Amino acid sequence: MANPGQKVVLITGCSSGIGLRMAAMLAKDKKKRYHVIGTMRDLKRKDKLVEAAGDAYGKTLSLAALDVCSDESVKACIDGIKDRQVDVLRIGLVGPLESISIEEMRKVFETNVFGVIRMIKEVLPDMKKRKGGHIIVMSSVMGLQSVVFNDVYAASKFAIEGFCESLAVQLFAFNITVSLIEPGPVRTDFELKMIEDVKQRDCPGADPETVHFFKDIYLLSAINIFEAVGQTPDQIAKCVKKVIEASTPRFRNLTNPLYTPIVALKYADETGDLSVHAFYQMLYNLGPVLNFSVIAMKFLTCGCLRNRTVSPN
Ligand SMILES: NC(=O)C1=CN([C@@H]2O[C@H](COP(=O)(O)OP(=O)(O)OC[C@H]3O[C@@H](n4cnc5c(N)ncnc54)[C@H](OP(=O)(O)O)[C@@H]3O)[C@@H](O)[C@H]2O)C=CC1
Ligand SMILES: CC1=C(/C=C/C(C)=C/C=C/C(C)=C/C=O)C(C)(C)CCC1
């Protein structure tokens, strides 16, 4: 367990991707400031994390089973911990709306929205009693600006943004900080595999024109964007570490400067038309020409607006 003076950091979704890198990075902190509780649904999937943590495993890293969709599992895990900080996870969903069942959509909300809320609800009373704590929620740029064919995933992230906006105000009086991390594309195995799977799949229920836009235009651009400007899970972990260690952590933390202008565009026009038209032009007219390289993204997202991100360096 944690030594006195060590912060206990609870991280969900540590079997892969961003959660795994965050757990390993914080557990290997040179000054040993953190005791990390790395959680995952199935502890049989612990090997990659154990390997990434090296010597820290068993010292500054311990493991616990946790399914954010289960009240019992969340309670059982939290019951064993004294001091708590929370990061949250996701599952993805992309494709034409007509081809996605309500059941699949519910699963996304159950994990991304109610999973986050369930975790926060469980740790909040202790944090309020202690008058201190830091809740770090993994949102996404898609929680601020939706991206075509990501309707349901973006809706789940928008929900969490609204939830945290009001919570942050309420918790201010209790000295509890809420921080949202807003990554753009991150190159995880999961993401690339999901895009490849979706490419092969039929889209039952969707009309041919929509399927063409989705597969031949959106997916190609999305793959290019992931390859050209996607960050690594390690870069996101570094950003999160900076947010944890900041003396006054920000509420919203974009991690990829190339996405700040896209978010700024949204706030520049309260009618929302500017974003709708700009995204339409970027994808359907400019997309096939520009091929979404880093240069194209820099050109599209005019440099002067690219500041105020939390940089991984
Ligand atoms: N990758 C990207 O491009 C971006 C990701 N994000 C956000 O970052 C976060 C992590 O994503 P990423 O690392 O890419 O994804 P991964 O798919 O690599 O990791 C997701 C993790 O969530 C876990 N998980 C899934 N369902 C549950 C559940 N019910 N209870 C507990 N754990 C669960 C999985 O573990 P297991 O299946 O072993 O239980 C897995 O470890 C998400 O919130 C995502 O929305 C934000 C912006 C971009
Ligand atoms: C910027 C941009 C695009 C794609 C953005 C993507 C693919 C973002 C992915 C973000 C992720 C994966 C967030 C996870 O939470 C389009 C629509 C192709 C064209 C217009 C410009």
Side-chain angles (χ1 to χ4, degrees):
M1 252 303 142
N3 296 325
Q6 260 180 339
K7 276 186 178 170
V8 177
V9 183
L10 178 83
I11 307 175
T12 60
C14 292
S15 67
S16 62
I18 300 171
L20 186 156
R21 298 312 317 172
M22 263 167 48
M25 189 173 290
L26 292 176
K28 287 159 88 172
D29 177 55
K30 287 206 177 74
K31 296 183 190 154
K32 298 195 171 24
R33 286 169 293 181
Y34 310 105
H35 185 92
V36 178
I37 317 231
T39 72
M40 58 192 75
R41 280 182 293 186
D42 183 355
L43 286 172
K44 282 195 216 97
R45 300 190 59 201
K46 67 175 193 287
D47 293 357
K48 275 199 207 154
L49 174 60
V50 169
E51 194 190 328
D55 285 351
Y57 176 54
K59 295 178 186 142
T60 46
L61 171 72
S62 46
L63 304 182
L66 173 59
D67 179 348
V68 298
C69 295
S70 151
D71 287 341
E72 297 75 37
S73 168
V74 168
K75 189 162 184 330
C77 180
I78 299 297
D79 274 351
I81 303 162
K82 258 172 57 214
D83 226 353
R84 294 173 275 198
Q85 293 191 23
V86 180
D87 159 68
V88 184
L89 65 121
R90 71 78 193 267
I91 52 174
L93 188 60
V94 62
L97 192 62
E98 302 92 315
S99 67
I100 302 170
S101 71
I102 295 286
E103 221 23 69
E104 285 175 287
M105 298 179 198
R106 265 195 227 286
K107 234 175 102 187
V108 171
F109 269 72
E110 193 48 59
T111 310
N112 291 4
V113 182
F114 293 110
V116 174
I117 295 175
R118 188 175 283 114
M119 289 299 297
I120 295 178
K121 209 166 164 258
E122 191 63 38
V123 299
L124 211 50
D126 289 303
M127 285 187 173
K128 279 187 165 175
K129 263 188 238 144
R130 286 201 314 273
K131 288 237 175 330
H134 194 173
I135 296 171
I136 299 176
V137 177
M138 196 54 71
S139 181
S140 163
V141 284
M142 278 206 233
L144 302 170
Q145 170 60 61
S146 192
V147 170
V148 62
F149 292 120
N150 285 271
D151 332 57
V152 178
Y153 175 73
S156 74
K157 293 294 185 183
F158 267 62
I160 231 45
E161 292 272 334
F163 175 84
C164 288
E165 262 180 20
S166 89
L167 196 68
V169 177
Q170 195 210 124
L171 298 186
F172 200 73
F174 292 89
N175 190 34
I176 301 169
T177 311
V178 180
S179 294
L180 288 160
I181 313 293
E182 323 274 9
V186 182
R187 291 191 302 267
T188 59
D189 296 347
F190 171 85
E191 205 62 53
L192 296 172
K193 190 174 168 297
M194 186 173 83
I195 293 180
E196 281 308 315
D197 282 355
V198 162
K199 235 171 37 184
Q200 316 299 333
R201 236 186 282 149
D202 291 333
C203 300
D207 59 281
E209 201 180 354
T210 304
V211 177
H212 162 68
F213 281 142
F214 175 56
K215 290 199 168 176
D216 305 330
I217 300 181
Y218 169 77
L219 276 182
L220 293 184
S221 301
I223 291 167
N224 287 343
I225 282 191
F226 265 87
E227 275 167 12
V229 304
Q231 292 179 298
T232 63
D234 250 334
Q235 287 178 305
I236 308 303
K238 280 186 190 149
C239 294
V240 176
K241 193 162 184 281
K242 274 195 177 173
V243 173
I244 293 177
E245 288 165 4
S247 50
T248 46
R250 287 179 185 163
F251 176 59
R252 285 204 170 88
N253 299 272
L254 274 103
T255 67
N256 190 334
L258 289 168
Y259 279 80
T260 349
I262 286 174
V263 175
L265 194 68
K266 172 172 183 152
Y267 293 110
D269 167 32
E270 74 283 3
T271 72
D273 288 346
L274 197 54
S275 295
V276 172
H277 295 138
F279 262 88
Y280 184 82
Q281 294 300 335
M282 279 196 276
L283 183 60
Y284 296 114
N285 292 337
L286 294 171
V289 185
L290 289 174
N291 224 10
F292 288 115
S293 62
V294 180
I295 296 162
M297 278 297 278
K298 284 193 174 163
F299 161 71
L300 281 172
T301 62
C302 102
C304 57
L305 284 166
R306 242 177 285 127
N307 54 9
R308 298 193 62 78
T309 49
V310 47
S311 129
N313 305 312

